[in-house]
Amino acid sequence: QQVGKSSVEIYQVEDESSHLDEMPLMMSEEGFENDESDYHTLPRARISQRKRGLEWFICGGWKFLCTSCSDWLINICRRKKELKARTVWLGCPEKCEEKYPKNAIKNQKYNIFTFIPGVLYEQFKFFLNLYFLVVSCSQFVPALKIGYLYTYWAPLGFVLTVTVAREAVDEYRRYKRDKEMNSQLYSKLTVRGKVQVKSSDIQVGDLIIVEKDLFSINAYVYAQKPQLDIHSFEGTFTREDSDPAVHESLSIENTLWASTVVASGTVIGVVIYTGKETRSVMNTSNPKNKVGLLDLELNQLTKALFLALVALSVVMVTLQGFVGPWYRNLFRFLLLFSYIIPISLRVNLDMGKAAYGWMIMKDDNIPGTVVRTSTIPEELGRLVYLLTDKTGISGTLTQNEMIFKRLHLGTVSYGTDTMDEIQSHIINSYSQVHSQNSGNSTSSTPSRKPQSSAPKVRKSVSSRIHEAVKAIALCHNVTPVYESRAGVSGETEYAEVDQDFSDENRAYQASSPDEVALVQWTESVGLTLVNRDLTSMQLKTPGGHILTYYILQIFPFTSESKRMGIIVRDESSGEITFYMKGADVAMSTIVQYNDWLEEECGNMAREGLRTLVVAKKSLTEEQYQDFESRYNQAKLSIHDRNLKVAAVVESLEREMELLCLTGVEDQLQADVRPTLEMLRNAGIKIWMLTGDKLETATCIAKSSHLVSRTQDIHIFRPVTTRGEAHLELNAFRRKHDCALVISGDSLEVCLKYYEHEFVELACQCPAVVCCRCSPTQKAHIVKLLQHHTGKRTCAIGDGGNDVSMIQAADCGIGIEGKEGKQASLAADFSITQFKHIGRLLMVHGRNSYKRSAALGQFVMHRGLIISTMQAVFSSVFYFASVPLYQGFLMVGYATIYTMFPVFSLVLDQDVKPEMALLYPELYKDLTKGRSLSFKTFLIWVLISIYQGGILMYGALLLFESEFVHVVAISFTALILTELLMVALTIRTWHWLMVVAEFLSLGCYVASLAFLNEYFGIGRVSFGAFLDVAFITTVTFLWKVSAITVVSCLPLYILKYLKRKFSPPSYSKLTS
């Protein structure tokens, strides 16, 4: 199969690609001896070719063309403004050359003009509603007019009113939420002093006090153009009115995000980005209108019904023999039978959805749950893939409470039970230091050899602990905050140092919880962080002395560098030390050679701990000055600033002294394990997408029982080329029933070449863990699963980085975490704890889906049965296109007479919630979609035809003599049949259902007395009106009863037999 390289160069590409296409995935290395460089010509995974031509156009090409045209028009109308870098003058918004967007938050879908058109479009997008609009409009044509206008317009109007009202309420809530955000007051500095401004009136260039003093300086900030990346910012600050002009560089450290909090003190900020250009807004995609699978399935069924309707009408006209204006008759038949397609379907379902939403919010077992998208509660009953995150900063599965578990110094390791030893070492070493210090010694470390002396002697354990703890206490960006000291002004802070640093009211603030865990730990062993400002930090020793360290430089943690550093100068000795801590991957190359780090990191990761490596380096004054000048120069450069700065810092990061390795544990949220176990038994495949390291992710997967104890875990080796991916996939294919762990980069490679195969394999796994995933990758995986499996996906997250994934999934669930509300506001449902998801899916999701399926099919049955009667009636009367029931009866039939009992199906439940939670396997049945399928639908159609036929023929047979009364009798029998059918469908009675049944019956009996003129036949009512005398006769009653019994009894018998011989899974549990 190998092709000669030189001679057939031209054919090679085609040949190569076909040869790879035919080649099965299962194969040995030989097929891959060709050049790497050919790979870009090779085909992607085999995806079936798009159908072109007419077939393509019919199958949805027209949709594609329409949307692309409309997008093009929209783009022309709303030309996106090019984003450019900007120069912002401090306190002078009027100096800005450009117009920047208003600083208003807008989460609304519509504005005052687009609301009505937008909502109408959303409604008429459904085939059902569009069809009804056409039918209703046809009633304005005299030749086609059948009965009264309101027969058709009243239901349509009702449907639209309900939906518009619901959308309006949602929209108003969004508007209020936005308004609340936009009208928050901020203090702005102006020449006249402090002014209060609303959030929406803030402009670029304003000086905002995030709390106190006056200003008058002439300065400006140059900032890069607005962009998506939340971890970087480049800018420069220039002050012109000082003698040598001041140039300072600005980075992400100098910025405050929109809607952040200041831990302590006050800040004055200049506004750089507003409104749409802030990072947080740029990172959220526009929310799409989610449509549930059930709605799509019902839409399909209505199309099928429409075809049936057309067929029926054509049959009727044919039987008529195409006499006279037959096409007019055809249209009249279409209108007569239009009840086959139930207009009330959407209203009933929409009201049902609202009811489910209300039930979810009112459930005391899952307090605090909010339904933000009321249109998709049934989706909760169809989920097959659950994508959850356990991100680097916060955990959906983890509580976000960190506990310091282990300190490893290479030779010694300290766990939770031996922390007191560390404490005694610290107390000893610091008491020595102070006795030495009083003895005029400058050394700050006990037993510290002068640097010049012979090769490094192994330091005593005590001094190594001392150094390690000091490093952990200094290398972080945690700020201690004191509650009670709010009144004390800045000047007296240092005077009151000793009295006020009491331990009771100190709290630590930091951007990541593991930093806090480390500082809390140093406090517990005796070295306490008591104060921190921009330039210094103060530590309190066990003996109560205060040590001051000046902060010379801070190198913040970024997701690329995976480490943070700090350079401090000890006030007492003047020594300069560079401390650094970071992930083992990043640090292993920086620290001096050692033989234990890698192994111990592996051990800790297997215990489920997050590891950080701590190292230090002492700098001389000259080394530091040299570094500082190069560093400042790099920071001022506009181009490639990050690269230059990184290069300068890296010159310091060499041969650092390894101090210790720390292990911090994430606490799992309450009841995560049983919940995951329950979801697994329910047949839901759980994918964990996380930014963590491979080991940590694997660990959490095990400790949270995401992967059951007996299962193997297949760790997908890192791959970078097509060949490697091929071999790895083959290795994975041979494994059975094992969980997959794969890193984001390998995933990209696999998806690039073998998308189809990879997804197919991964979907067979009970659990998949993707580590090192970016937010966009998370959303991409969600879309992949939707595209390849066609199954429903659900994403759960709690941080801003999960928003894109939540919005992409069919059903997004946000957890209100410590991360703030961003995820829970973007989600369709928000919960307060992970464990609530079990009940949300098993009970509410399952019920919503089963109820909606029953409700939808029942409403269809209601329309079919009356259409069958109309068909029988017409055929008996020589195919006349005359309506059987007059206007109000038709409207009343679908509303007042049967609405309540049918809608009460919303309260039906097949098993008790406790059962559903105890046997999650019940949920598995739902994902196959058996409650609503063409099969069940066909059964309902047959029932309807049978019942409609019986009712009409029965009425005609039994009333040979009083033919006049056929309408009254058949209609009464019809109502009774409907009410009995509801009773037949219900699985668990609820008192409201009984009320609804009797209420409807009562309404009907009452209306018989008033509406007698309607009970004639057609327009030619032979002068018949309903004589009350006839209704009260025994014959009327027994004939109606006979017809009803014949139409319902067989179904009751069939149902009984079916329960006896093939009971559904839930009935086995309840018996």
Side-chain angles (χ1 to χ4, degrees):
Q1 277 259 358
Q2 199 96 55
V3 186
K5 283 279 180 294
S6 53
S7 52
V8 247
E9 203 58 62
I10 308 148
Y11 301 107
Q12 184 180 342
V13 174
E14 285 96 76
D15 201 287
E16 183 78 53
S17 57
S18 59
H19 136 88
L20 251 154
D21 248 2
E22 289 149 14
M23 191 162 52
L25 237 183
M26 220 18 140
M27 56 165 258
S28 59
E29 284 87 339
E30 287 90 79
F32 276 100
E33 285 161 3
N34 9 25
D35 274 5
E36 263 303 307
S37 61
D38 299 341
Y39 283 144
H40 59 87
T41 61
L42 301 178
R44 294 275 303 268
R46 290 152 295 181
I47 296 166
S48 56
Q49 279 310 111
R50 256 259 179 85
K51 310 173 192 126
R52 277 288 160 202
L54 189 63
E55 197 185 351
W56 172 78
F57 187 77
I58 292 167
C59 289
W62 61 277
K63 261 191 192 163
F64 173 74
L65 292 175
C66 297
T67 44
S68 44
C69 293
S70 57
D71 286 351
W72 178 74
L73 280 171
I74 290 170
N75 279 342
I76 284 188
C77 306
R78 298 204 322 222
R79 268 283 156 75
K80 271 272 172 73
K81 199 176 80 198
E82 176 128 13
L83 299 171
K84 294 203 274 291
R86 53 187 65 186
T87 302
V88 179
W89 288 85
L90 269 63
C92 310
E94 60 283 349
K95 273 199 192 174
C96 295
E97 315 79 83
E98 279 203 57
K99 222 169 136 340
Y100 296 117
K102 231 174 95 90
N103 189 39
I105 293 176
K106 187 167 181 297
N107 281 317
Q108 287 161 264
K109 286 187 192 160
Y110 313 102
N111 59 31
I112 198 116
F113 301 110
T114 57
F115 178 69
I116 295 292
V119 175
L120 290 182
Y121 169 72
E122 281 301 321
Q123 281 312 300
F124 292 125
K125 200 167 70 173
F126 282 101
F127 174 75
L128 198 90
N129 299 2
L130 189 63
Y131 165 78
F132 265 95
L133 186 67
V134 174
V135 167
S136 306
C137 291
S138 73
Q139 289 299 293
F140 289 121
V141 182
L144 302 175
K145 191 162 184 305
I146 292 183
Y148 300 95
L149 270 182
Y150 67 75
T151 338
Y152 293 95
W153 280 98
L156 185 68
F158 180 64
V159 174
L160 290 179
T161 322
V162 171
T163 19
V164 169
R166 200 192 66 202
E167 273 297 313
V169 169
D170 280 0
E171 198 55 8
Y172 179 66
R173 282 198 192 133
R174 286 187 209 111
Y175 165 76
K176 279 213 351 208
R177 222 165 49 209
D178 291 349
K179 190 165 176 177
E180 203 177 310
M181 297 291 289
N182 288 331
S183 51
Q184 283 182 341
L185 290 180
Y186 287 86
S187 345
K188 170 168 111 170
L189 273 185
T190 62
V191 193
R192 296 187 297 285
K194 267 206 290 195
V195 208
Q196 292 284 343
V197 287
K198 285 211 303 231
S199 158
S200 54
D201 297 337
I202 293 177
Q203 292 165 306
V204 172
D206 282 345
L207 284 173
I208 299 297
I209 317 181
V210 190
E211 284 295 295
K212 2 192 178 192
D213 82 336
L214 283 176
F215 80 104
S216 65
I217 58 171
N218 184 16
Y220 63 86
V221 168
Y222 172 83
Q224 69 187 142
K225 66 176 200 270
Q227 56 170 18
L228 280 171
D229 183 10
I230 55 179
H231 296 299
S232 72
F233 169 78
E234 293 179 8
T236 53
F237 167 80
T238 311
R239 181 170 177 182
E240 293 186 335
D241 54 4
S242 59
D243 195 8
V246 180
H247 288 289
E248 285 273 340
S249 81
L250 303 174
S251 71
I252 191 76
E253 285 298 286
N254 306 93
T255 60
L256 275 181
W257 269 47
S259 62
T260 40
V261 271
V262 182
S264 61
T266 61
V267 180
I268 297 182
V270 56
V271 179
I272 303 289
Y273 304 123
T274 48
K276 290 194 192 73
E277 295 176 344
T278 56
R279 296 281 203 266
S280 54
V281 176
M282 291 182 76
N283 265 293
T284 34
S285 47
N286 281 334
K288 63 180 199 299
N289 281 323
K290 296 189 180 180
V291 178
L293 186 58
L294 189 89
D295 296 324
L296 297 174
E297 289 172 342
L298 286 170
N299 205 25
Q300 296 296 25
L301 293 181
T302 39
K303 285 178 188 165
L305 285 174
F306 177 68
L307 294 176
L309 162 73
V310 175
L312 187 60
S313 309
V314 172
V315 168
M316 284 291 182
V317 175
T318 316
L319 291 174
Q320 237 182 6
F322 292 109
V323 284
W326 61 269
Y327 49 88
R328 202 182 82 191
N329 287 341
L330 175 71
F331 211 89
R332 286 187 62 121
F333 273 121
L334 281 177
L335 291 171
L336 271 183
F337 297 138
S338 69
Y339 268 85
I340 285 188
I341 298 182
I343 175 87
S344 50
L345 183 60
R346 302 263 350 157
V347 183
N348 273 317
L349 286 176
D350 281 350
M351 282 162 41
K353 289 170 199 284
Y356 309 140
W358 188 80
M359 289 175 197
I360 291 174
M361 303 235 234
K362 283 275 167 290
D363 188 342
D364 295 335
N365 295 309
I366 46 174
T369 306
V370 185
V371 179
R372 296 187 197 280
T373 307
S374 52
T375 50
I376 56 171
E378 300 94 358
E379 290 290 84
L380 293 171
R382 310 286 301 271
L383 303 174
V384 182
Y385 292 102
L386 183 77
L387 298 103
T388 161
D389 89 306
K390 143 76 217 59
T391 37
I393 306 166
S394 85
T396 293
L397 297 179
T398 55
Q399 250 176 14
N400 234 347
E401 297 294 338
M402 306 278 189
I403 292 178
F404 189 92
K405 281 285 191 190
R406 177 147 306 170
L407 179 74
H408 204 296
L409 300 169
T411 49
V412 225
S413 163
Y414 293 95
T416 27
D417 40 357
T418 48
M419 289 295 178
D420 45 345
E421 289 183 33
I422 298 185
Q423 196 168 356
S424 58
H425 277 303
I426 293 288
I427 292 173
N428 291 338
S429 63
Y430 272 106
S431 55
Q432 282 176 19
V433 173
H434 289 298
S435 58
Q436 285 179 7
N437 273 358
S438 50
N440 250 342
S441 152
T442 52
S443 162
S444 66
T445 339
S447 65
R448 174 80 173 280
K449 309 265 185 306
Q451 293 265 310
S452 57
S453 77
K456 281 236 169 72
V457 181
R458 258 250 163 110
K459 291 195 199 151
S460 71
V461 171
S462 184
S463 72
R464 282 173 40 219
I465 290 181
H466 178 98
E467 282 298 321
V469 173
K470 187 165 78 175
I472 298 172
L474 288 172
C475 185
H476 53 71
N477 56 18
V478 181
T479 313
V481 188
Y482 295 94
E483 299 307 314
S484 61
R485 294 226 337 261
V488 184
S489 66
E491 287 70 43
T492 56
E493 256 177 35
Y494 299 110
E496 303 205 346
V497 140
D498 293 312
Q499 308 89 308
D500 229 310
F501 292 147
S502 55
D503 293 345
E504 298 82 76
N505 48 21
R506 183 189 312 109
Y508 293 115
Q509 292 229 323
S511 54
S512 96
D514 36 5
E515 294 244 276
V516 179
L518 292 173
V519 177
Q520 279 169 343
W521 174 77
T522 62
E523 176 180 359
S524 74
V525 295
L527 195 57
T528 314
L529 172 70
V530 286
N531 186 35
R532 173 170 188 150
D533 52 35
L534 286 174
T535 53
S536 69
M537 246 187 288
Q538 285 167 320
L539 302 180
K540 188 165 79 176
T541 64
H545 297 278
I546 300 284
L547 308 175
T548 304
Y549 291 89
Y550 297 117
I551 303 173
L552 304 177
Q553 298 288 353
I554 286 194
F555 312 112
F557 181 91
T558 66
S559 45
E560 287 80 47
S561 71
K562 301 190 185 60
R563 53 185 183 264
M564 75 150 290
I566 187 168
I567 303 183
V568 293
R569 183 198 302 257
D570 183 343
E571 184 198 38
S572 57
S573 67
E575 278 179 13
I576 299 176
T577 319
F578 173 34
Y579 289 108
M580 189 149 217
K581 69 167 186 222
D584 49 309
V585 220
M587 298 290 290
S588 54
T589 51
I590 293 172
V591 297
Q592 292 165 343
Y593 172 76
N594 63 304
D595 51 7
W596 58 273
L597 183 62
E598 194 175 336
E599 185 187 344
E600 286 304 328
C601 281
N603 290 343
M604 282 196 191
R606 276 188 284 283
E607 288 177 45
L609 302 179
R610 290 193 188 180
T611 53
L612 281 175
V613 179
V614 185
K616 71 162 212 176
K617 184 180 193 176
S618 300
L619 301 178
T620 61
E621 190 67 45
E622 299 74 60
Q623 282 173 318
Y624 175 69
Q625 293 303 335
D626 166 53
F627 164 78
E628 190 179 36
S629 60
R630 286 182 301 142
Y631 184 66
N632 289 341
Q633 199 176 341
K635 280 199 338 194
L636 282 173
S637 58
I638 297 285
H639 300 294
D640 302 331
R641 175 189 298 176
N642 288 353
L643 287 172
K644 290 179 186 165
V645 171
V648 175
V649 177
E650 261 162 40
S651 66
L652 270 190
E653 298 171 350
R654 297 210 181 114
E655 287 295 300
M656 295 186 69
E657 181 186 336
L658 172 59
L659 295 173
C660 65
L661 175 63
T662 64
V664 173
E665 184 185 48
D666 258 350
Q667 294 276 135
L668 280 177
Q669 260 194 26
D671 293 341
V672 166
R673 292 188 184 120
T675 305
L676 285 174
E677 206 115 346
M678 178 198 298
L679 294 175
R680 250 211 336 271
N681 292 338
I684 295 175
K685 301 197 168 94
I686 304 172
W687 287 44
M688 187 166 90
L689 313 179
T690 159
D692 276 351
K693 280 206 300 295
L694 198 109
E695 293 81 17
T696 319
T698 317
C699 247
I700 285 183
K702 275 185 184 157
S703 65
S704 64
H705 291 208
L706 176 69
V707 179
S708 60
R709 289 197 189 86
T710 51
Q711 270 165 5
D712 286 340
I713 293 186
H714 176 81
I715 296 183
F716 204 88
R717 285 210 305 274
V719 294
T720 44
T721 61
R722 181 172 182 158
E724 289 176 4
H726 192 124
L727 296 170
E728 257 307 291
L729 280 171
N730 278 340
F732 175 47
R733 177 171 291 225
R734 296 189 191 99
K735 296 266 185 95
H736 287 295
D737 186 46
C738 67
L740 170 68
V741 179
I742 184 169
S743 70
D745 313 333
S746 309
L747 184 74
E748 286 289 298
V749 177
C750 291
L751 294 180
K752 190 168 161 200
Y753 299 117
Y754 294 114
E755 180 173 330
H756 186 72
E757 288 84 344
F758 175 74
V759 177
E760 204 177 325
L761 285 174
C763 288
Q764 290 162 7
C765 293
V768 178
V769 178
C770 302
C771 42
R772 293 266 169 248
C773 273
S774 65
T776 34
Q777 243 175 347
K778 291 181 181 180
H780 181 61
I781 294 172
V782 173
K783 293 196 181 93
L784 255 178
L785 283 176
Q786 288 168 339
H787 174 69
H788 277 278
T789 61
K791 299 278 199 298
R792 304 323 261 173
T793 56
C794 166
I796 309 184
D798 66 341
N801 53 0
D802 306 320
V803 169
S804 50
M805 160 171 94
I806 286 175
Q807 284 176 342
D810 295 302
C811 163
I813 300 181
I815 297 183
E816 297 193 12
K818 294 202 174 169
E819 294 286 81
K821 292 255 181 114
Q822 206 173 354
S824 69
L825 286 178
D828 304 312
F829 302 91
S830 66
I831 53 182
T832 48
Q833 278 178 318
F834 184 78
K835 66 174 179 191
H836 291 166
I837 196 167
R839 190 172 174 92
L840 190 65
L841 302 188
M842 300 302 124
V843 178
H844 292 289
R846 187 166 182 280
N847 282 345
S848 301
Y849 170 56
K850 293 205 87 148
R851 289 164 177 174
S852 281
L855 184 65
Q857 299 186 93
F858 208 92
V859 172
M860 285 179 170
H861 156 212
R862 193 169 70 183
L864 275 167
I865 195 168
I866 205 162
S867 298
T868 312
M869 294 173 73
Q870 174 72 50
V872 174
F873 176 78
S874 287
S875 50
V876 171
F877 275 85
Y878 315 108
F879 310 106
S881 47
V882 176
L884 167 59
Y885 298 132
Q886 282 299 312
F888 190 78
L889 285 187
M890 287 303 274
V891 176
Y893 170 65
T895 52
I896 193 162
Y897 299 147
T898 59
M899 190 169 90
F900 300 112
V902 171
F903 187 65
S904 71
L905 287 173
V906 165
L907 301 167
D908 189 21
Q909 54 178 23
D910 49 3
V911 292
K912 290 200 167 61
E914 299 74 48
M915 286 305 240
L917 287 168
L918 194 56
Y919 299 103
E921 291 77 5
L922 288 172
Y923 188 88
K924 232 181 235 178
D925 291 353
L926 301 189
T927 49
K928 300 173 185 142
R930 286 193 184 146
S931 305
L932 174 74
S933 60
F934 268 106
K935 184 182 150 194
T936 56
F937 173 63
L938 235 97
I939 294 173
W940 275 107
V941 171
L942 293 174
I943 291 176
S944 311
I945 292 175
Y946 165 75
Q947 290 188 328
I950 293 285
L951 290 171
M952 203 58 220
Y953 273 120
L956 293 173
L957 276 177
L958 294 178
F959 287 92
E960 283 305 330
S961 50
E962 315 102 322
F963 193 69
V964 207
H965 301 306
V966 68
V967 172
I969 287 160
S970 62
F971 195 74
T972 310
L974 171 67
I975 298 287
L976 290 174
T977 301
E978 276 298 300
L979 297 179
L980 281 173
M981 281 303 289
V982 171
L984 175 72
T985 316
I986 285 172
R987 286 166 294 219
T988 313
W989 284 88
H990 185 286
W991 63 270
L992 275 171
M993 296 174 173
V994 184
V995 171
E997 292 265 340
F998 284 112
L999 185 72
S1000 300
L1001 198 57
C1003 284
Y1004 179 64
V1005 173
S1007 64
L1008 275 179
F1010 296 109
L1011 299 171
N1012 50 18
E1013 73 270 19
Y1014 280 116
F1015 286 94
I1017 299 179
R1019 299 266 172 80
V1020 258
S1021 45
F1022 305 140
F1025 50 89
L1026 192 70
D1027 38 359
V1028 181
F1030 171 67
I1031 289 188
T1032 47
T1033 57
V1034 180
T1035 43
F1036 174 77
L1037 290 176
W1038 83 253
K1039 289 181 175 179
V1040 167
S1041 311
I1043 297 173
T1044 313
V1045 167
V1046 174
S1047 77
C1048 288
L1049 195 63
L1051 295 172
Y1052 267 93
I1053 294 167
L1054 281 173
K1055 180 177 179 182
Y1056 175 74
L1057 290 173
K1058 184 167 185 277
R1059 292 272 321 222
K1060 198 101 186 108
F1061 296 115
S1062 71
S1065 49
Y1066 65 83
S1067 62
K1068 296 173 189 161
L1069 298 176
T1070 46
S1071 54

